[in-house]
Amino acid sequence: MTDPENVVVQLCVQGMQAETEGRDSRARDLFLQAWEAAEDDYDACIAAHYLARHQPTPQETLHWNQECLNRADKVGDDRVRGFYASLHGNMARAHRDLGQIDQAREHFESAAKHIDDVPAGPHQQWLRYRIAAGLRATTPAAPQQHEDPVGELLTKLCARADLEALSLLLPPYMGSLGTPEDEERITAAMRMLHAERRLPDDEQTALSHAIKVRSAA
C-alpha cells in the first residue's frame, strides 16, 4: 500500500490536483520534484508514471513510460503487481503514437495478461476498455475482413438510443480482450437479450444472425 506520508506520494497528489485545475506546467514541476525526491525504485516508478503524462514529444513520453516500467521490474514484488496492466498500456499507446504498431500490439497483449492483477472496480474496468480498444486498433487486417454482426447491431441500438439493450451488450463487447471467456460473455448477453424478444423485428433478426455467426466461429 502506498504510504501517504511519503514525500513522493505527497508531491504526486499535489501534481494531480494541479492537473484537475488545468495547471499543467505546475503539475509537471511537482512530478519532476517527486522524481528528484525518489529514494528507491518504487518511488521512482510512481514519479516516472506521472512525468510521462507531461512530456512535449512522443519520444520523451515513451522514455518516461519505459523508465517507469524498468523501475517496476526492479521492485519486483507485490507492491507493483497491480501496476503492470496500466504500465504496459501506457507503453503501447506511446509506441502507437510513434507509429510503431508491432511494439504497441505486444504491449497491449502484455497489458491484457495483467488485467486480473488490478483490483476490481471502475479503474480496472476502464483499463480493460482501453486495452481492448488498443488490441482492436493494432490487430493486423485480414485479407478478407470478417463481418462484425455485433458491431452492426450495436450501431442500430445506438441510433435508437435503446439504453437497456446497450447496457447489457456494450460492457462485454467493449471490454473483450479476445479470450474465450470474454467472447462467451458477449454471446451470453446476446442470448439474454434475444430471449426478451423486445427488439424491433429487424433488430431481433440481426441479433439472431449475430448469435448464429458467433456460434459457428
Side-chain angles (χ1 to χ4, degrees):
M1 182 175 293
T2 302
D3 180 7
E5 300 301 317
N6 183 309
V7 65
V8 170
V9 173
Q10 292 176 348
L11 287 165
C12 288
V13 169
Q14 294 173 37
M16 287 187 286
Q17 180 63 36
E19 282 181 332
T20 62
E21 296 170 355
R23 297 183 292 127
D24 287 351
S25 178
R26 177 58 178 161
R28 186 180 187 281
D29 288 344
L30 287 163
F31 296 142
L32 184 58
Q33 290 177 40
W35 170 259
E36 292 170 346
E39 295 184 350
D40 58 23
D41 289 318
Y42 182 74
D43 287 350
C45 174
I46 293 172
H49 166 73
Y50 290 106
L51 265 177
R53 300 188 339 198
H54 292 273
Q55 297 304 311
T57 68
Q59 291 85 354
E60 288 171 281
T61 299
L62 177 61
H63 165 78
W64 283 104
N65 280 319
Q66 184 67 66
E67 183 70 44
C68 182
L69 182 58
N70 291 346
R71 295 297 183 129
D73 286 343
K74 289 180 179 179
V75 173
D77 60 30
D78 284 346
R79 289 177 296 168
V80 297
R81 182 179 178 185
F83 291 2
Y84 279 97
S86 178
L87 300 188
H88 281 290
N90 291 339
M91 286 290 293
R93 286 185 285 276
H95 278 295
R96 190 176 59 187
D97 288 345
L98 288 166
Q100 299 166 351
I101 303 303
D102 289 344
Q103 294 95 319
R105 174 76 185 184
E106 290 175 5
H107 280 288
F108 279 128
E109 290 173 347
S110 295
K113 292 175 182 177
H114 289 283
I115 191 65
D116 289 336
D117 292 331
V118 181
H123 177 61
Q124 187 209 53
Q125 193 63 40
W126 179 244
L127 277 178
R128 173 179 280 275
Y129 288 157
R130 301 301 298 137
I131 294 165
L135 288 171
R136 289 192 295 270
T138 56
T139 299
Q144 287 187 323
Q145 193 69 37
H146 294 295
E147 64 176 324
D148 180 12
V150 185
E152 294 170 7
L153 175 62
L154 286 168
T155 298
K156 294 177 181 291
L157 296 173
C158 286
R160 202 164 49 78
D162 188 334
L163 299 184
E164 287 187 7
L166 287 169
S167 70
L168 178 64
L169 290 183
L170 266 180
Y173 181 79
M174 296 301 294
S176 174
L177 301 178
T179 66
E181 294 80 9
D182 284 349
E183 293 303 298
E184 178 53 34
R185 288 188 189 99
I186 299 172
T187 303
M190 293 166 59
R191 286 173 177 150
M192 283 190 282
L193 183 59
H194 188 273
E196 291 285 327
R197 298 193 177 278
R198 55 175 292 278
L199 300 180
D201 289 345
D202 64 323
E203 293 177 13
Q204 192 73 20
T205 299
L207 179 57
S208 295
H209 173 66
I211 293 172
K212 288 179 182 178
V213 169
R214 295 181 67 81
S215 298

